[in-house]
Amino acid sequence: MISVDPESKEPLYLQIYEAIKSDITEDALKAGDRLVPIRKLAESLGVSRNTVENAYAQLLAEGYVVSRSGSGYAVCDVDFSPISEASIEKDRASASKERKRAATPGAIGRVSPSLVEEALGDQGLRGCIGQSNTKPMARAAHEGRSTTYAPAIEFDFTYGDRPRGSFPEVAWRKLTGDALFSVDSRANAYGDALGEMDLRGEIARRIHATRGVNCSPEQVVLQAGTQAALGNLLDLFDPMRDGVAMENPGYDGATAVFRNRGFRITPLPLSAKLGGEAQAAYIRALRTSGAKLAFCTPSNQFPLGMTMPLSMRVSLIEWAAEHDGYILEDDYCREFRYTERPIPSLQSLDTRNRVVYMGTLSKVLSPALRMSYVVLPPQLLDRWREKFARHYCPVPWLSQKVLYLFMSEGYWDRYTRATMTAYRKRRDALMECLQREMGDKIEIYGGTAGLHLLVTTRDGRSEGELLTAAEAAGVRVYPTSGYWLPRHETDPCGRCVLVGFSSIEPELIPEGVRRLARAWFPEK
């Protein structure tokens, strides 16, 4: 019997998930049994369909159930050994038995909870049911903070990760089979060094239709992520002669690549309020930088979240033409705009072949796929072919083929719309809760696009104070100091923390923000 307690602090979808999981592990639901249809269960429990869908998605992600097209969800044939808290020796014996089973043929997929518990520990198990599995002590050590105390993190406002269970694994599994058994399968060949032409053509068509990018499929080069793409692009230039100018603040992943490759970096000052004086300072710094490359995020500046004005875009292109330079346009979050229509890319304005357009598939599908692409101007494409003449494409053929089928058969468009709807819901909830709980005590930057907000208090507290107070309350928000070159202590944005909404469940947002408000303003 499934029941939920609306007064419980545990999210409703986790209550449903736990009840069904218990029925499966205790053999009340047997292999092959169908779960109650989503709509019917939602009506009987008095909850939304999304709540039940989230519970079923979690069960699917962890292998308790399987999704069958047209017939809903059914219990998987999984061997669950009993877990006894009263007998440690019995647990150990059970774990030993499972290890032997895992070593025998046909044991793939038959994993008992006792082995999972032993492998992951308490923190890992909590992470598997939708809470943060980030290791607080490891993170504290990375940030140079004390590791003697690591409070439990219940509300993780991380940026960039996708929600657990959101990957379209059913469609991906089907298309993987289609790819492997297709008549044009190239599973036994190295393939095109720049990527499979059918996928490159699909990407070229889409970015022209949605972003105005002018290119042929031959100019599209597939890469294993933005940082890998940047590293390869830098190989076309000389670090002793060709400097890099980049936005300040800006994407720290790009900064790391430029530094590791030995390129001199000139910061281009930015402000959340990008008025005429700020624009002029940016262009002056660029013109006097001596750089040959300029890295920017014009459609949704990272991390400040504003859009580059047309006048600045034109000035950038003029600079590149006058100085024989190139602009690296990172259009990292082009799909997600909440209050404005999508705007044309910087590359679409370029008539002098001075813009390298960069896109990623991480924000829609999964960062774990490591798939991105660059669109090279003809002269850089010639350099690339010469430099990497004996290199192979870093993205596996199978991943490319499946993605092509995912796009060409309509899955991408439907999935992107659903993802956009889910992110808009999270974004709206976060904005509403921040305003309701803290109102004019805080300043919020961004939010019109992308997957995060920047937040600071109006009383001038430092980033470190805000992070420490939040973590003590079981809430994780993220530092922004690593994005600055150097940091602008006098700029309010220099004291901001990053609050993401890409993976936190909507049900957790209100309480997470309430905890944050009490931590930052305990007098309320």
Side-chain angles (χ1 to χ4, degrees):
M1 178 71 181
I2 301 175
S3 62
V4 295
D5 178 9
E7 303 300 320
S8 172
K9 292 183 178 180
E10 186 174 56
L12 296 176
Y13 88 97
L14 283 183
Q15 296 182 45
I16 298 171
Y17 155 88
E18 290 285 1
I20 297 174
K21 185 181 78 169
S22 178
D23 285 346
I24 294 173
T25 58
E26 294 175 7
D27 217 29
L29 284 173
K30 302 183 184 300
D33 286 354
R34 291 181 57 190
L35 300 190
V36 179
I38 290 174
R39 184 187 299 275
K40 185 175 180 180
L41 183 58
E43 290 174 353
S44 67
L45 296 177
V47 300
S48 71
R49 288 186 60 186
N50 283 343
T51 298
V52 179
E53 286 175 351
N54 288 336
Y56 281 15
Q58 190 64 43
L59 291 163
L60 179 67
E62 295 186 26
Y64 290 100
V65 300
V66 63
S67 177
R68 294 175 177 170
S69 179
S71 60
Y73 294 85
V75 178
C76 287
D77 184 10
V78 181
D79 178 26
F80 292 105
S81 299
I83 301 177
S84 171
E85 296 182 358
S87 173
I88 296 176
E89 291 301 322
K90 186 176 180 181
D91 280 348
R92 289 175 176 169
S94 175
S96 177
K97 181 179 179 181
E98 291 297 334
R99 289 192 193 92
K100 292 178 181 179
R101 178 178 298 157
T104 61
I108 297 175
R110 297 166 63 87
V111 182
S112 79
S114 60
L115 278 183
V116 176
E117 184 176 9
E118 182 182 76
L120 299 180
D122 292 341
Q123 283 288 346
L125 286 174
R126 282 197 291 273
C128 285
I129 59 174
Q131 296 184 13
S132 169
N133 61 357
T134 304
K135 297 178 181 177
M137 293 188 73
R139 178 170 180 79
H142 174 71
E143 294 173 359
R145 293 181 283 118
S146 171
T147 60
T148 57
Y149 171 66
I153 299 300
E154 300 177 59
F155 305 93
D156 191 347
F157 289 94
T158 188
Y159 160 83
D161 289 349
R162 297 282 287 119
R164 185 178 292 276
S166 63
F167 186 78
E169 63 269 7
V170 175
W172 204 262
R173 189 182 306 119
K174 172 190 176 299
L175 295 176
T176 299
D178 294 346
L180 288 171
F181 293 102
S182 60
V183 294
D184 63 340
S185 172
R186 301 191 63 183
N188 297 314
Y190 282 107
D192 193 312
L194 303 187
E196 296 302 307
M197 187 56 72
D198 53 4
L199 176 57
R200 293 160 66 194
E202 187 71 22
I203 291 173
R205 181 182 68 81
R206 287 176 175 276
I207 59 179
H208 177 71
T210 61
R211 307 293 291 120
V213 174
N214 299 306
C215 69
S216 67
E218 288 77 13
Q219 291 174 258
V220 178
V221 180
L222 298 180
Q223 291 288 280
T226 299
Q227 287 183 301
L230 283 173
N232 287 335
L233 283 167
L234 292 179
D235 281 344
L236 307 182
F237 297 88
D238 182 356
M240 302 302 293
R241 184 183 68 246
D242 303 325
V244 177
M246 69 174 295
E247 299 166 333
N248 184 33
Y251 173 41
D252 58 339
T255 305
V257 175
F258 299 147
R259 283 176 170 164
N260 289 342
R261 293 303 183 96
F263 279 75
R264 174 178 52 84
I265 302 174
T266 300
L268 306 177
L270 276 177
S271 170
K273 296 179 174 60
L274 202 55
E277 185 177 339
Q279 294 180 42
Y282 180 99
I283 297 301
R284 279 198 305 271
L286 177 61
R287 290 187 177 279
T288 58
S289 66
K292 288 294 184 182
L293 295 170
F295 178 83
C296 60
T297 51
S299 295
N300 181 41
Q301 203 281 329
F302 186 87
L304 298 180
M306 71 279 197
T307 300
M308 180 180 287
L310 179 61
S311 59
M312 284 185 68
R313 294 170 181 242
V314 172
S315 295
L316 266 173
I317 293 172
E318 289 178 348
W319 163 82
E322 292 171 3
H323 292 78
D324 191 26
Y326 289 92
I327 303 162
L328 308 181
E329 178 185 11
D330 183 8
D331 204 9
Y332 69 99
C333 223
R334 65 186 179 88
E335 294 87 359
F336 306 122
R337 304 193 71 83
Y338 309 110
T339 62
E340 305 168 348
R341 292 177 58 84
I343 59 175
S345 64
L346 180 61
Q347 196 269 4
S348 69
L349 303 173
D350 177 28
T351 60
R352 307 182 188 184
N353 292 319
R354 289 291 164 181
V355 176
V356 177
Y357 181 83
M358 307 177 66
T360 179
L361 304 167
S362 297
K363 302 300 185 290
V364 174
L365 277 173
S366 168
L369 288 178
R370 309 312 306 145
M371 281 198 281
S372 67
Y373 57 90
V374 297
V375 177
L376 296 174
Q379 64 274 27
L380 285 189
L381 180 60
D382 292 339
R383 281 198 222 174
W384 185 287
R385 289 186 180 279
E386 181 180 353
K387 181 72 175 182
F388 301 109
R390 303 188 64 82
H391 288 233
Y392 301 111
C393 182
V395 182
W397 167 83
L398 183 57
S399 296
Q400 296 183 55
K401 183 65 175 180
V402 175
L403 179 59
Y404 166 70
L405 295 174
F406 194 80
M407 287 182 166
S408 62
E409 296 185 12
Y411 291 95
W412 175 272
D413 294 325
R414 293 193 295 272
Y415 186 70
T416 300
R417 286 194 295 269
T419 302
M420 174 66 175
T421 299
Y423 279 161
R424 183 189 297 276
K425 179 179 179 181
R426 286 172 166 82
R427 176 261 183 193
D428 290 349
L430 180 57
M431 293 282 285
E432 179 184 346
C433 291
L434 286 169
Q435 292 289 358
R436 183 178 64 246
E437 297 294 335
M438 289 180 270
D440 59 4
K441 295 180 179 180
I442 58 173
E443 188 87 25
I444 300 174
Y445 300 95
T448 61
L451 304 176
H452 75 277
L453 309 173
L454 294 188
V455 180
T456 190
T457 56
R458 293 183 184 273
D459 57 14
R461 269 178 283 177
S462 69
E463 172 194 90
E465 291 175 299
L466 298 178
L467 292 172
T468 300
E471 187 161 318
V475 181
R476 177 162 290 139
V477 292
Y478 289 81
T480 61
S481 50
Y483 305 137
W484 294 85
L485 294 167
R487 191 173 178 185
H488 291 186
E489 293 292 350
T490 58
D491 189 324
C493 290
R495 301 189 299 269
C496 282
V497 295
L498 186 149
V499 184
F501 53 85
S502 64
S503 68
I504 189 169
E505 295 297 340
E507 295 92 339
L508 299 179
I509 292 175
E511 179 59 23
V513 173
R514 277 194 291 271
R515 295 270 193 98
L516 198 60
R518 289 197 295 269
W520 287 352
F521 306 103
E523 72 280 1
K524 182 177 178 180

PDB file of all heavy atoms in Angstrom, residues 187-198:
ATOM      1  N   ALA A 187      30.960   0.616 -37.607  1.00  0.00           N
ATOM      2  CA  ALA A 187      31.476   0.234 -36.298  1.00  0.00           C
ATOM      3  C   ALA A 187      32.870  -0.366 -36.388  1.00  0.00           C
ATOM      4  O   ALA A 187      33.575  -0.455 -35.380  1.00  0.00           O
ATOM      5  CB  ALA A 187      30.526  -0.754 -35.621  1.00  0.00           C
ATOM      6  N   ASN A 188      33.301  -0.784 -37.580  1.00  0.00           N
ATOM      7  CA  ASN A 188      34.610  -1.421 -37.722  1.00  0.00           C
ATOM      8  C   ASN A 188      35.618  -0.525 -38.436  1.00  0.00           C
ATOM      9  O   ASN A 188      36.664  -0.994 -38.879  1.00  0.00           O
ATOM     10  CB  ASN A 188      34.462  -2.735 -38.506  1.00  0.00           C
ATOM     11  CG  ASN A 188      33.600  -3.721 -37.767  1.00  0.00           C
ATOM     12  OD1 ASN A 188      33.770  -3.924 -36.564  1.00  0.00           O
ATOM     13  ND2 ASN A 188      32.652  -4.331 -38.459  1.00  0.00           N
ATOM     14  N   ALA A 189      35.310   0.783 -38.543  1.00  0.00           N
ATOM     15  CA  ALA A 189      36.198   1.695 -39.268  1.00  0.00           C
ATOM     16  C   ALA A 189      36.535   2.899 -38.399  1.00  0.00           C
ATOM     17  O   ALA A 189      35.820   3.228 -37.461  1.00  0.00           O
ATOM     18  CB  ALA A 189      35.534   2.153 -40.569  1.00  0.00           C
ATOM     19  N   TYR A 190      37.628   3.569 -38.739  1.00  0.00           N
ATOM     20  CA  TYR A 190      38.040   4.752 -37.988  1.00  0.00           C
ATOM     21  C   TYR A 190      37.133   5.943 -38.265  1.00  0.00           C
ATOM     22  O   TYR A 190      36.913   6.778 -37.408  1.00  0.00           O
ATOM     23  CB  TYR A 190      39.491   5.117 -38.339  1.00  0.00           C
ATOM     24  CG  TYR A 190      40.503   4.232 -37.645  1.00  0.00           C
ATOM     25  CD1 TYR A 190      41.205   3.260 -38.349  1.00  0.00           C
ATOM     26  CD2 TYR A 190      40.758   4.381 -36.285  1.00  0.00           C
ATOM     27  CE1 TYR A 190      42.141   2.452 -37.712  1.00  0.00           C
ATOM     28  CE2 TYR A 190      41.688   3.579 -35.643  1.00  0.00           C
ATOM     29  CZ  TYR A 190      42.381   2.607 -36.367  1.00  0.00           C
ATOM     30  OH  TYR A 190      43.295   1.816 -35.728  1.00  0.00           O
ATOM     31  N   GLY A 191      36.619   6.061 -39.466  1.00  0.00           N
ATOM     32  CA  GLY A 191      35.705   7.147 -39.778  1.00  0.00           C
ATOM     33  C   GLY A 191      36.416   8.436 -40.118  1.00  0.00           C
ATOM     34  O   GLY A 191      37.646   8.539 -40.116  1.00  0.00           O
ATOM     35  N   ASP A 192      35.617   9.454 -40.430  1.00  0.00           N
ATOM     36  CA  ASP A 192      36.128  10.771 -40.805  1.00  0.00           C
ATOM     37  C   ASP A 192      36.812  11.412 -39.601  1.00  0.00           C
ATOM     38  O   ASP A 192      36.264  11.435 -38.500  1.00  0.00           O
ATOM     39  CB  ASP A 192      34.972  11.646 -41.290  1.00  0.00           C
ATOM     40  CG  ASP A 192      35.442  12.911 -41.989  1.00  0.00           C
ATOM     41  OD1 ASP A 192      36.326  13.603 -41.438  1.00  0.00           O
ATOM     42  OD2 ASP A 192      34.919  13.212 -43.075  1.00  0.00           O
ATOM     43  N   ALA A 193      37.994  11.973 -39.819  1.00  0.00           N
ATOM     44  CA  ALA A 193      38.762  12.570 -38.728  1.00  0.00           C
ATOM     45  C   ALA A 193      38.052  13.767 -38.106  1.00  0.00           C
ATOM     46  O   ALA A 193      38.277  14.094 -36.936  1.00  0.00           O
ATOM     47  CB  ALA A 193      40.139  12.994 -39.231  1.00  0.00           C
ATOM     48  N   LEU A 194      37.195  14.445 -38.863  1.00  0.00           N
ATOM     49  CA  LEU A 194      36.479  15.606 -38.350  1.00  0.00           C
ATOM     50  C   LEU A 194      35.099  15.245 -37.802  1.00  0.00           C
ATOM     51  O   LEU A 194      34.429  16.114 -37.233  1.00  0.00           O
ATOM     52  CB  LEU A 194      36.322  16.662 -39.451  1.00  0.00           C
ATOM     53  CG  LEU A 194      37.615  17.153 -40.108  1.00  0.00           C
ATOM     54  CD1 LEU A 194      37.311  18.316 -41.042  1.00  0.00           C
ATOM     55  CD2 LEU A 194      38.649  17.557 -39.078  1.00  0.00           C
ATOM     56  N   GLY A 195      34.701  13.998 -37.955  1.00  0.00           N
ATOM     57  CA  GLY A 195      33.390  13.562 -37.501  1.00  0.00           C
ATOM     58  C   GLY A 195      32.549  13.068 -38.660  1.00  0.00           C
ATOM     59  O   GLY A 195      32.801  13.400 -39.830  1.00  0.00           O
ATOM     60  N   GLU A 196      31.543  12.246 -38.360  1.00  0.00           N
ATOM     61  CA  GLU A 196      30.693  11.684 -39.403  1.00  0.00           C
ATOM     62  C   GLU A 196      29.899  12.790 -40.099  1.00  0.00           C
ATOM     63  O   GLU A 196      29.293  13.642 -39.452  1.00  0.00           O
ATOM     64  CB  GLU A 196      29.752  10.645 -38.805  1.00  0.00           C
ATOM     65  CG  GLU A 196      30.464   9.432 -38.232  1.00  0.00           C
ATOM     66  CD  GLU A 196      31.309   8.722 -39.280  1.00  0.00           C
ATOM     67  OE1 GLU A 196      30.763   8.392 -40.356  1.00  0.00           O
ATOM     68  OE2 GLU A 196      32.518   8.511 -39.036  1.00  0.00           O
ATOM     69  N   MET A 197      29.896  12.745 -41.430  1.00  0.00           N
ATOM     70  CA  MET A 197      29.322  13.838 -42.202  1.00  0.00           C
ATOM     71  C   MET A 197      27.818  13.986 -42.002  1.00  0.00           C
ATOM     72  O   MET A 197      27.289  15.109 -42.048  1.00  0.00           O
ATOM     73  CB  MET A 197      29.647  13.653 -43.689  1.00  0.00           C
ATOM     74  CG  MET A 197      29.238  14.842 -44.545  1.00  0.00           C
ATOM     75  SD  MET A 197      29.949  16.430 -43.996  1.00  0.00           S
ATOM     76  CE  MET A 197      31.653  16.194 -44.492  1.00  0.00           C
ATOM     77  N   ASP A 198      27.106  12.885 -41.765  1.00  0.00           N
ATOM     78  CA  ASP A 198      25.661  13.029 -41.587  1.00  0.00           C
ATOM     79  C   ASP A 198      25.340  13.830 -40.327  1.00  0.00           C
ATOM     80  O   ASP A 198      24.447  14.691 -40.329  1.00  0.00           O
ATOM     81  CB  ASP A 198      24.962  11.668 -41.577  1.00  0.00           C
ATOM     82  CG  ASP A 198      25.552  10.677 -40.590  1.00  0.00           C
ATOM     83  OD1 ASP A 198      26.472  11.068 -39.846  1.00  0.00           O
ATOM     84  OD2 ASP A 198      25.102   9.515 -40.567  1.00  0.00           O
TER      85      ASP A 198
END
